[in-house]
Amino acid sequence: DRSTWGIERMLKKLNFEVVKAFNGAEALKILKSPDTSGLIPCKGFTCHYFTLVVTDLQMPLLDGIELTKEVRRLPNLIGKIPIVLVSATGDEMQVKEGFNAGMNDFLCKPCLLYTSPSPRDS
């Protein structure tokens, strides 16, 4: 959807390589494979370390809060990965539930990326 595309585009501008999952269960499977170290084979790369999880609150099969709980149960560094929950509602109770589940931050959609101009742009 358009909001997912916007977040993906912002992350790429910040030099993140984006690995997408289409639901929470798929995201958990990606994070867990082939082990729970966060090191996975990736298309065109020898290995890939995950450094951030951005998850929508509402997803099929496993929502963002449940995904956060499951990730926090994983051993090694992958269980400590920063998690940002994104939602269009910004409901205070859901945000609180997300923090209680172990998320690190919350973004309300639509999200905008503001960057300072570099000295070269002046």
Side-chain angles (χ1 to χ4, degrees):
D1 77 24
R2 189 166 175 79
S3 62
T4 303
W5 176 81
I7 292 169
E8 179 180 352
R9 193 166 164 215
M10 286 189 299
L11 289 169
K12 286 181 177 181
K13 279 187 175 188
L14 294 169
N15 293 318
F16 280 91
E17 179 185 341
V18 176
V19 176
K20 292 192 325 186
F22 295 97
N23 60 61
E26 183 181 1
L28 186 61
K29 183 178 177 183
I30 290 169
L31 289 168
K32 289 171 74 171
S33 66
D35 59 23
T36 56
S37 68
L39 178 63
I40 65 165
C42 197
K43 294 178 251 157
F45 298 93
T46 306
C47 63
H48 183 90
Y49 290 95
F50 291 103
T51 56
L52 176 68
V53 172
V54 178
T55 179
D56 202 301
L57 175 66
Q58 297 179 347
M59 293 186 297
L61 303 181
L62 193 67
D63 69 27
I65 291 172
E66 291 304 315
L67 173 62
T68 299
K69 289 176 184 177
E70 291 296 323
V71 171
R72 291 297 177 241
R73 290 184 185 113
L74 297 176
N76 303 323
L77 290 177
I78 199 66
K80 295 176 176 59
I81 193 168
I83 300 174
V84 177
L85 189 69
V86 181
S87 175
T89 64
D91 178 79
E92 188 176 327
M93 291 299 291
Q94 290 176 322
V95 173
K96 185 175 181 178
E97 188 179 356
F99 279 114
N100 288 339
M103 77 174 185
N104 298 88
D105 213 342
F106 174 81
L107 292 173
C108 194
K109 293 189 277 186
C111 305
L112 300 173
L113 175 66
Y114 293 101
T115 58
S116 314
S118 71
R120 296 178 302 208
D121 295 338
S122 316

